[in-house]
Amino acid sequence: MAAVLEVEGLKKRYGSLEALKGVSFKVEEGEIFGLIGPNGAGKTTTLRIIATLLTPTDGRATFLGYDLKKNPEKFREKISYLPEEAGAYRNMRGIDYLNFMARFYARNEAEAKEFVERAVAICGLGERLKDKAGTYSKGMIRKLLLARALMTRPALAILDEPTSGLDVINSLEVREMIKGFTKEGVSVLLSSHNMLEVEFLSDRVALIDQGVILDSGSPAALKEKYQAPNLEIVFRRALQ
Amino acid sequence: MRNFSNLLIKEIKELLNKQLIISLVFILVLFNFIGSITKSEMKKAMAKQKVAVLDLDRSDISRNLIGALNMAGFIIEEKTGEKERVIGEVRDSGLDLLVVFPEGFGQLASSFQPVTVETYSFLKGLSISGRTKTEVVRALINSTNDYLSNEFLKKKIPDADPKLLKAPIKNREFVVVKERQAEGSASMIVGALTAQNFILPVILMMIILYSAQMVITAIAMEKQNKTLETLLTVPISRGAIVAAKMLGATVVGLLSAVIYMYGFRNAFSFSDTDVTKALGGITPILKQLGLTISTQGYVLFGISLFLTMLCALALATLLGVLAEDYRTAQALSFPLVFLLMIPYFISLFADINTMSLPAKILVLAIPFSHPFFAMQNIMFGNLNMVWLGIGYNFLFVAVLLWWTTRIFATDRVLTMKLKWGKKKVVL
């Protein structure tokens, strides 16, 4: 399979703090690639760089052949980013929020309508979409934002801690939404400190700690390599 | 363009929310309430009012003065009896003014000896009508004094004109503005121009302040609601995001300022007809002196105002980036308010042209100062000052917009924040 995203030697420095020390990985077409690691490992920084929010201090990222530094606008056209602590406009109705976001990606109103219809189906919020986002629970907001990220069928969906702060039921629903979405042939790059979640969702994972990729591969291959029953143990053994 | 209008509409909708609409309606209702109270007080002051009179003399002169009071629009309620008792009676009634003509008033006045009329004002508050009544009575006494002294002079020096005797020197006033000259009083002209333009600084301050606060709030709310990161990853240029925020804030800021000014104007009843009436006689003098604004003058003023608004918006955008939430946004708008207050008060109470050079430079270094003084400079033909202000603001805007767009195009839009504890800006 062809790689949609290639990251090579990505570095990011905030003053004296080196958040990324040369991160490299590839995301292939139609796969879910998980970045796992503890808080402060560099997951969010990596995703924010690829989402064009931060500029790397050094290194290279290419997406569908486009260079991140030279063509950030090409990245923005084809990716969808769901930040960890994202919110929606409180005074906007859910349906209006989807319409607002769809218009940025659609070539015309008909396509925007199509995007919104897809989002309505993905999020499953039904009549509540007619209410203002300020009245939504955290779980509902997360589903709305995930639907927003997936409705345009981006070439790459970047999901930062997609189930962060959600209860068990909502987390399960969100995971199913993500799994179902990749059946349509779209790639997903996600991060989580919940290693079991990533193991369930991802085709391949990279273990990241202190700005360095420790190892990468399919969950099954990593478990076999480290003789571990799950990715949590894999991570602990990789650290040693 | 489609993406920009999508963003602009969202910005306007976000800013023009229920809270703002309610506060604008509240302002209108409040001003309407203040206006109705002020107007009813004015009406009371203008209407025929009752005055109590105690004429202990009943001479021709005292009767004539009472007749003059009646002619001046007062309803006379004549009292009889002892003065102390009448004072008590009037105090307990709804009346608030008593005029007492003492016994022997007419005889003393006609023999040109000192004579006293007593007026008792019963203060029950600070209403306008109480003040105007005593002023009318004082004017009547002054004209009676004038009449009596004229009579005295006619009697003593029959061949002389009493008016000439009392005021032998006449003053013919002329006002000169550059090469132009007209007959008139400088204080009258300054008064007329101040009355004509006094509302301008208030309008300027409102427009600039409202728009700037809207921008700061718009950016701070994006941060508080955690929507900024998502917005920065959609396929639209960062410049367009900045422009939409600034334009949206301008539209809502202008609308708020217009509503505020409408309410303000209604409340304090500065009607066009009053101003026009007051200026009616002086307009030819102003034209003769060239103290009127041409269409080109208005265009120049418009350019100055537009650039100043851009300065305020760009500065507000930068401050908005520093804000983390709505609360810090409110605190961050304080420097803008402070910078606006300086030219606002100077334009109301001082003349920039007579200030010392260092003070003048300091005031004019504030980009918001220029439109406050532009109208005066245009009127007095100091166009160089206006153009210099426009040039300065243009440079200021160019630098600020470049810097703001740069910040939005880099990590700084997310990482820049004001550290209150260390009082340090992290760039």
Side-chain angles (χ1 to χ4, degrees):
Chain A
M1 268 194 287
V4 287
L5 176 75
E6 288 184 55
V7 176
E8 287 170 39
L10 213 56
K11 290 183 182 175
K12 180 67 185 174
R13 182 180 280 281
Y14 298 105
S16 58
L17 176 78
E18 198 171 15
L20 296 184
K21 298 167 184 167
V23 168
S24 303
F25 62 89
K26 284 180 187 176
V27 179
E28 288 171 0
E29 195 180 337
E31 80 166 341
I32 299 182
F33 187 90
L35 271 180
I36 54 175
N39 293 333
K43 305 184 296 291
T44 297
T45 301
T46 307
L47 299 193
R48 280 176 147 199
I49 289 172
I50 297 160
T52 74
L53 283 171
L54 300 178
T55 40
T57 312
D58 200 4
R60 196 159 172 261
T62 49
F63 170 66
L64 299 174
Y66 293 108
D67 186 83
L68 174 68
K69 285 180 189 166
K70 288 178 190 162
N71 306 99
E73 71 286 352
K74 291 287 176 194
F75 274 60
R76 287 183 204 130
E77 279 171 21
K78 299 281 181 188
I79 60 157
S80 266
Y81 174 54
L82 175 68
E84 182 183 356
E85 285 189 358
Y89 298 103
R90 297 179 58 80
N91 290 321
M92 217 184 253
R93 297 184 313 157
I95 192 78
D96 294 335
Y97 175 72
L98 293 173
N99 263 312
F100 166 65
M101 295 304 285
R103 287 198 182 105
F104 288 114
Y105 297 90
R107 284 163 294 181
N108 49 47
E109 278 302 308
E111 194 176 29
K113 200 178 162 199
E114 187 191 315
F115 288 164
V116 173
E117 280 168 6
R118 189 177 304 136
V120 171
I122 294 170
C123 70
L125 292 174
E127 286 296 303
R128 287 304 308 270
L129 282 170
K130 290 177 186 166
D131 295 332
K132 286 191 173 174
T135 65
Y136 290 5
S137 67
K138 195 169 182 179
M140 290 165 76
I141 290 276
R142 207 67 187 154
K143 285 177 190 170
L144 178 75
L145 297 179
L146 191 63
R148 187 275 304 163
L150 303 180
M151 70 180 172
T152 57
R153 282 211 182 96
L156 178 69
I158 302 169
L159 313 176
D160 192 1
E161 305 277 0
T163 59
S164 165
L166 297 185
D167 58 38
V168 180
I169 303 295
N170 276 310
S171 294
L172 270 172
E173 284 177 10
V174 166
R175 277 181 211 130
E176 277 160 17
M177 281 162 72
I178 297 167
K179 266 280 196 208
F181 178 73
T182 51
K183 284 175 191 156
E184 297 180 26
V186 180
S187 313
V188 174
L189 170 62
L190 63 85
S191 84
S192 180
H193 60 269
N194 182 343
M195 300 185 193
L196 299 178
E197 171 180 284
V198 177
E199 186 179 344
F200 165 76
L201 279 172
S202 306
D203 300 305
R204 286 189 311 125
V205 295
L207 315 175
I208 184 168
D209 187 52
Q210 294 183 18
V212 177
I213 299 275
L214 302 173
D215 208 341
S216 64
S218 69
L222 285 171
K223 280 192 282 188
E224 194 182 326
K225 182 178 174 184
Y226 290 93
Q227 294 293 303
N230 56 50
L231 283 183
E232 280 180 353
I233 309 292
V234 167
F235 192 83
R236 206 165 64 192
R237 290 186 181 161
L239 273 177
Q240 290 159 0
Chain B
M1 195 61 204
R2 197 166 142 264
N3 280 352
F4 180 75
S5 60
N6 184 31
L7 195 53
L8 180 63
I9 291 166
K10 170 248 158 194
E11 292 299 338
I12 293 174
K13 278 186 179 170
E14 279 286 296
L15 290 172
L16 205 60
N17 55 30
K18 203 158 66 182
Q19 292 90 327
L20 182 71
I21 293 169
I22 289 171
S23 69
L24 289 176
V25 171
F26 177 73
I27 282 172
L28 278 180
V29 172
L30 181 73
F31 274 135
N32 195 40
F33 177 67
I34 295 169
S36 64
I37 291 173
T38 317
K39 277 172 194 162
S40 104
E41 276 296 301
M42 293 288 280
K43 216 172 177 179
K44 268 193 228 163
M46 303 296 284
K48 279 202 162 194
Q49 291 176 57
K50 278 188 180 175
V51 174
V53 173
L54 174 62
D55 186 3
L56 297 170
D57 187 50
R58 306 200 79 79
S59 63
D60 285 348
I61 294 179
S62 67
R63 299 317 298 170
N64 281 345
L65 269 169
I66 293 167
L69 278 174
N70 198 13
M71 296 282 282
F74 290 109
I75 299 167
I76 308 297
E77 194 170 311
E78 277 221 55
K79 302 283 180 187
T80 51
E82 270 188 31
K83 191 170 82 178
E84 296 308 319
R85 189 187 58 77
V86 171
I87 290 172
E89 191 185 312
V90 176
R91 186 187 57 220
D92 297 337
S93 71
L95 298 171
D96 51 17
L97 186 70
L98 168 68
V99 183
V100 180
F101 294 100
E103 219 175 309
F105 170 79
Q107 197 192 352
L108 286 168
S110 52
S111 58
F112 307 113
Q113 286 182 50
V115 64
T116 309
V117 173
E118 292 171 1
T119 55
Y120 294 86
S121 298
F122 300 89
L123 281 183
K124 289 159 190 162
L126 301 173
S127 71
I128 309 165
S129 58
R131 209 169 56 214
T132 50
K133 271 184 207 170
T134 50
E135 276 163 10
V136 172
V137 171
R138 192 178 298 131
L140 274 171
I141 290 168
N142 283 343
S143 61
T144 311
N145 272 335
D146 203 38
Y147 167 76
L148 290 172
S149 63
N150 285 352
E151 289 299 305
F152 176 76
L153 287 169
K154 268 188 212 165
K155 202 173 174 182
K156 294 286 177 188
I157 317 167
D159 298 335
D161 179 357
K163 283 181 187 166
L164 194 66
L165 281 173
K166 285 199 287 187
I169 302 169
K170 286 218 180 301
N171 181 21
R172 239 181 120 187
E173 290 180 274
F174 291 91
V175 178
V176 182
V177 177
K178 294 209 164 172
E179 291 82 24
R180 295 178 182 217
Q181 180 182 306
E183 186 164 0
S185 145
S187 64
M188 194 172 69
I189 286 168
V190 171
L193 290 176
T194 311
Q196 196 179 21
N197 295 325
F198 92 102
I199 204 92
L200 190 70
V202 184
I203 296 174
L204 284 175
M205 200 182 74
M206 287 301 153
I207 293 175
I208 296 170
L209 195 62
Y210 268 117
S211 307
Q213 278 186 332
M214 291 288 163
V215 169
I216 298 182
T217 308
I219 298 171
M221 290 309 285
E222 291 271 8
K223 287 192 171 182
Q224 185 170 307
N225 292 335
K226 314 272 183 204
T227 48
L228 186 62
E229 281 192 35
T230 308
L231 186 65
L232 292 173
T233 61
V234 299
I236 184 167
S237 76
R238 301 287 168 89
I241 293 174
V242 175
K245 291 224 171 282
M246 285 171 59
L247 193 57
T250 308
V251 171
V252 180
L254 274 175
L255 183 72
S256 307
V258 165
I259 289 173
Y260 187 90
M261 291 316 304
Y262 174 77
F264 188 80
R265 202 183 170 89
N266 256 4
F268 299 104
S269 201
F270 303 116
S271 70
D272 286 337
T273 46
D274 292 343
V275 176
T276 313
K277 263 187 215 165
L279 292 174
I282 212 167
T283 307
I285 303 172
L286 294 178
K287 273 188 185 162
Q288 208 176 330
L289 292 170
L291 294 177
T292 49
I293 308 276
S294 64
T295 312
Q296 284 160 317
Y298 280 114
V299 170
L300 211 55
F301 176 74
I303 296 170
S304 177
L305 177 61
F306 176 70
L307 285 171
T308 305
M309 278 193 70
L310 282 184
C311 281
L313 292 171
L315 205 55
T317 309
L318 278 176
L319 290 171
V321 172
L322 292 172
E324 285 175 77
D325 49 31
Y326 183 74
R327 191 178 53 80
T328 47
Q330 294 302 305
L332 280 165
S333 62
F334 178 73
L336 278 176
V337 177
F338 180 73
L339 287 176
L340 259 171
M341 284 296 171
I342 295 172
Y344 172 69
F345 282 114
I346 288 173
S347 70
L348 284 181
F349 303 115
D351 182 3
I352 182 91
N353 297 312
T354 58
M355 289 169 75
S356 68
L357 188 64
K360 207 168 165 177
I361 290 170
L362 270 178
V363 173
L364 293 178
I366 302 169
F368 312 140
S369 295
H370 299 281
F372 282 93
F373 308 116
M375 211 49 130
Q376 187 184 328
N377 282 327
I378 291 167
M379 224 181 269
F380 284 89
N382 303 327
L383 295 184
N384 283 347
M385 281 301 292
V386 184
W387 280 114
L388 271 174
I390 287 174
Y392 175 76
N393 276 7
F394 182 79
L395 279 176
F396 203 93
V397 164
V399 171
L400 276 184
L401 282 181
W402 173 82
W403 196 23
T404 310
T405 315
R406 282 278 307 147
I407 286 172
F408 265 80
T410 61
D411 305 6
R412 289 180 186 175
V413 67
L414 297 172
T415 58
M416 208 163 104
K417 63 180 88 164
L418 204 60
K419 284 192 175 174
W420 294 102
K422 294 178 183 174
K423 293 189 185 239
K424 183 177 151 192
V425 178
V426 180
L427 297 175

